Amino acid sequence: MPGLVPLVEAAFAPLFDQLRPGAPALVRVSQRADYQVDGALPLAKALGRPPREVAEEVLAKAWEGDLAALCEKAEVAGPGFINLTVSAEAMAAQLAVLRPGASGLGAPRPDRTLRVVVDYGGPNAAKQMHVGHLRSSIIGDAIVRMLEAVGHEVVRENHIGDWGANFGMLVEHLVDLGEDRAAHELAMGDLEGFYQAARAAYEADPGFAERARARVVMLQSGEPGTMALWRSLVDASVNHFDQDFHRLGVKLSRDDVVGESYYNPMLDRVVSELSEAGLLVESDGALCVFPPGFANRDGAPLPLIVRNSAGGYTYAATDLAAVRDRTERLRADLVVYVVGLPQSQHLAMVFEVARMAGWLTRGEQLVHVGFGNVLGPDGKMFRTRQGGTVKLSELLAEAEERARSVVVGRTGGTAQDLAGDVDEVVRAVGTGAIKYADLSTDRVRDYRFDWDRMLSLDGNTAPYIQYAHARVLSIFRRAGEATRLAERSGDFLPPADPEERELAKALLSFGEAFADAVDGFAPHKLCGYLFDLASQFTRFYEKCPVLNAPAADLVRSRLALCAATGAVLATGLDLLGIQAPERM
Ligand code: ARG
């Protein structure tokens, strides 16, 4: 695997292990030198020795070993860090191993491939997707792509809300409209209008409300006519979600829909298993589990309600059945829930009850990958000017309109160098800007939706990184013959200029950045890395002539640096679900 951290790791790890078995070397990319080894501090503490002394000892031994061939300078600094400056020759040798394709660029290889279920998207049928679902879709998709790229086996599940008492009124409204008209309205994507009209009828008309309640009973008993109407409602919504996901470039499709209704036949069993495990408590006619450690504001134990007093199964019951299904039928080792932070407590309780019920016997991990709210430019919840839910299709249309002026504006109002690709580029930039803005902030924080910032051509944005990538390709269009030369490996000269060196170092850090992003389900770490790489490239390109470099071997070497940059930027954007247009 290319990348210098594994080599530094290999030079130090056995020495730390000798002094104390299992003690980690803790190597990381450093700001002050190239790499920093931090392991001497915890090790010295465990051994009861001065950390600088331990660091000196380990460094001297490493230097006698492979380190001298790798580094031009190594020293103990501060309380006991080891700072390393890699030699230019070692950098060139490592760069030569870079090959297009995620793993060839230094992507991490886990010890064990896992079967991972990623629960993301999760919109509700017959309702407009809101920005929370948009976030879940974008973040979830990046996580899916990263997990797949490191070799895990991923099952995508879109846990849509397609069941519950609401469907009584929705089916009744469908009947009132007539199936044809209802189908038309839903096909037009006016899910919100349909839902609001049903709600209004329910509230204003007692007769309608009565029918809606009777309809719920028919649904619960599986009456065939009612089920067919319900199905058509859900299908229309799924069609609509499908279009949205497709437009967004999110991998979710109708085949990934495993909605709440899917779990209906399993709910009785869930309850009887909880009962057999002695976990069920009846409280005011409802069936509950009280997992320890959860309390309300007054300190009273908090129930996870599985069946309400009317005998209806809850959202929690469905989620418990989903845990069972995912770990048992799908044999998942890891289940990742990409769901907003307001559901933290719900999920924590579901996970705990699953554990108490003894369903997690193979060390299965259930992880909530939460995220904050989307705020408008005013810092309040993101809404339309009228105060309604922002429609994804309108959001994307606006993104493209604004991206058009960015792209066309940059090419002097003619966009002639884009030839016929303008629309495609505009789409890639517009959608990319929205996705990147969402992915580049630490997901647990709220993020502010700001058109000007996300579409800016300088800063930590998609257009900036896409532009750096397109610039690399434009060099190759001009290079012609030299292109083919640079594609051969081994063309890297030891980087001599500081900008070359920094670019090389950034290229060799892809694997670490990627590993951090996957391990923490933290796409923003990959974004930060790509921004740094694009910035290093910009600096390099301003200082170091490529095609006009003074010697032929330097032209080839710099072209090879450009090629590697282009490959890493394109791969990184792809991992985030963002396109990298060839021209911009
Ligand atoms: N439909 C839910 C909502 O809109 C999200 C589903 C999240 N996934 C889950 N397994 N609970 O809030």
Side-chain angles (χ1 to χ4, degrees):
M1 175 172 118
L4 284 157
V5 168
L7 291 180
V8 175
E9 186 85 43
F12 282 96
L15 303 172
F16 279 91
D17 199 57
Q18 254 169 44
L19 287 170
R20 190 184 169 87
L26 303 175
V27 181
R28 59 190 178 88
V29 180
S30 152
Q31 297 302 327
R32 261 165 280 137
D34 289 330
Y35 299 97
Q36 183 171 315
V37 184
D38 291 348
L41 288 112
L43 173 61
K45 201 171 169 208
L47 297 174
R49 289 177 52 192
R52 283 190 69 104
E53 188 187 296
V54 174
E56 295 286 1
E57 181 184 329
V58 171
L59 177 55
K61 281 200 190 136
W63 197 261
E64 283 164 27
D66 299 333
L67 200 64
L70 203 62
C71 292
E72 58 184 39
K73 198 169 136 199
E75 61 188 4
V76 173
F81 312 117
I82 302 170
N83 286 342
L84 303 172
T85 305
V86 171
S87 73
E89 289 72 21
M91 279 200 173
Q94 278 308 297
L95 284 169
V97 190
L98 289 181
R99 288 270 191 293
S103 59
L105 297 175
R109 286 272 148 225
D111 313 330
R112 192 163 76 93
T113 57
L114 302 174
R115 207 170 156 78
V116 189
V117 171
V118 183
D119 176 329
Y120 73 115
N124 299 314
K127 249 189 178 173
Q128 191 62 51
M129 260 200 231
H130 60 63
V131 282
H133 301 125
L134 184 64
R135 275 210 97 175
S136 172
S137 307
I138 292 173
I139 297 169
D141 210 50
I143 289 173
V144 166
R145 287 165 190 264
M146 294 194 296
L147 289 168
E148 282 178 345
V150 300
H152 295 304
E153 191 187 339
V154 178
V155 179
R156 299 183 294 271
E157 286 202 332
N158 186 1
H159 191 93
I160 65 168
D162 62 356
W163 196 251
N166 275 342
F167 284 89
M169 100 192 167
L170 291 165
V171 166
E172 244 1 91
H173 180 58
L174 188 148
V175 170
D176 286 359
L177 276 184
E179 276 187 69
D180 288 347
R181 223 183 109 196
H184 178 75
E185 265 188 30
L186 293 167
M188 296 304 290
D190 191 13
L191 303 185
E192 199 63 20
F194 187 92
Y195 189 90
Q196 295 305 344
R199 171 105 256 152
Y202 187 85
E203 272 157 19
D205 176 357
F208 180 90
E210 189 58 42
R211 280 191 282 135
R213 279 191 290 272
R215 199 52 97 163
V216 176
V217 177
M218 287 192 253
L219 263 176
Q220 279 163 349
S221 63
E223 191 273 313
T226 301
M227 293 304 280
L229 293 168
W230 164 78
R231 193 47 23 237
S232 72
L233 210 57
V234 173
D235 283 348
S237 310
V238 168
N239 279 338
H240 188 64
F241 298 149
D242 228 30
Q243 285 169 23
D244 277 351
F245 290 136
H246 182 75
R247 222 171 140 195
L248 202 57
V250 160
K251 284 186 167 196
L252 281 175
S253 80
R254 55 192 328 116
D255 300 334
D256 305 314
V257 170
V258 187
E260 292 178 22
S261 66
Y262 169 83
Y263 301 100
N264 287 346
M266 306 170 205
L267 298 173
D268 286 338
R269 178 181 156 210
V270 161
V271 168
S272 60
E273 286 186 349
L274 294 175
S275 162
E276 278 158 32
L279 298 175
L280 274 190
V281 178
E282 206 184 306
S283 167
D284 296 329
L287 293 180
C288 314
V289 182
F290 288 89
F294 294 91
N296 66 16
R297 266 184 240 107
D298 312 323
L302 205 63
L304 185 70
I305 302 175
V306 182
R307 213 173 71 190
N308 61 31
S309 53
Y313 287 114
T314 58
Y315 182 58
T318 304
D319 260 323
L320 287 169
V323 171
R324 199 85 178 99
D325 189 61
R326 290 162 177 176
T327 52
E328 208 180 38
R329 179 179 64 88
L330 295 174
R331 300 205 61 77
D333 304 301
L334 169 66
V335 187
V336 178
Y337 292 76
V338 188
V339 181
L341 286 169
Q343 295 192 40
S344 293
Q345 189 178 60
H346 161 75
L347 289 172
M349 291 175 87
V350 166
F351 298 169
E352 181 55 19
V353 171
R355 198 193 57 77
M356 290 164 74
W359 295 343
L360 310 176
T361 49
R362 296 179 293 115
E364 299 94 329
Q365 300 281 322
L366 310 174
V367 180
H368 178 202
V369 170
F371 52 81
N373 291 314
V374 185
L375 305 177
D378 54 358
K380 303 212 183 80
M381 290 297 267
F382 189 48
R383 297 234 181 277
T384 60
R385 266 175 228 108
Q386 293 75 36
T389 331
V390 182
K391 247 182 138 174
L392 181 64
S393 50
E394 282 161 19
L395 200 68
L396 292 179
E398 182 162 357
E400 285 175 25
E401 194 183 304
R402 288 174 182 264
R404 191 173 297 273
S405 52
V406 171
V407 171
V408 174
R410 207 198 51 72
T411 52
T414 57
Q416 47 183 220
D417 53 340
L418 295 176
D421 305 339
V422 184
D423 288 346
E424 235 168 89
V425 173
V426 158
R427 218 169 296 135
V429 172
T431 314
I434 291 188
K435 291 173 110 175
Y436 193 91
D438 193 322
L439 294 168
S440 58
T441 20
D442 190 349
R443 60 179 161 73
V444 296
R445 292 178 29 203
D446 292 347
Y447 99 89
R448 207 176 276 233
F449 197 94
D450 180 340
W451 286 117
D452 292 333
R453 203 174 62 194
M454 70 175 76
L455 280 157
S456 164
L457 274 166
D458 55 349
N460 189 9
T461 67
Y464 177 72
I465 295 166
Q466 288 169 320
Y467 181 58
H469 170 263
R471 212 163 171 188
V472 169
L473 298 194
S474 83
I475 298 170
F476 281 94
R477 277 194 296 277
R478 273 181 286 135
E481 175 63 14
T483 310
R484 245 155 290 149
L485 295 174
E487 277 162 2
R488 292 208 320 257
S489 60
D491 283 337
F492 294 98
L493 295 177
D497 287 275
E499 290 80 14
E500 274 181 315
R501 199 178 191 289
E502 286 308 306
L503 178 58
K505 191 177 147 188
L507 286 168
L508 292 171
S509 304
F510 173 67
E512 279 64 53
F514 188 1
D516 285 350
V518 191
D519 291 348
F521 305 106
H524 76 282
K525 295 193 174 167
L526 184 57
C527 294
Y529 166 78
L530 292 175
F531 176 52
D532 178 57
L533 176 62
S535 312
Q536 299 297 356
F537 175 74
T538 307
R539 257 166 248 148
F540 158 82
Y541 195 58
E542 275 161 13
K543 277 282 170 54
C544 306
V546 176
L547 296 174
N548 298 322
D553 58 349
L554 193 57
V555 172
R556 280 207 299 275
S557 176
R558 287 185 175 165
L559 274 172
L561 279 177
C562 292
T565 304
V568 173
L569 290 176
T571 301
L573 286 173
D574 187 55
L575 288 169
L576 299 170
I578 296 174
Q579 287 173 303
E582 286 182 21
R583 298 166 196 253
M584 230 176 113

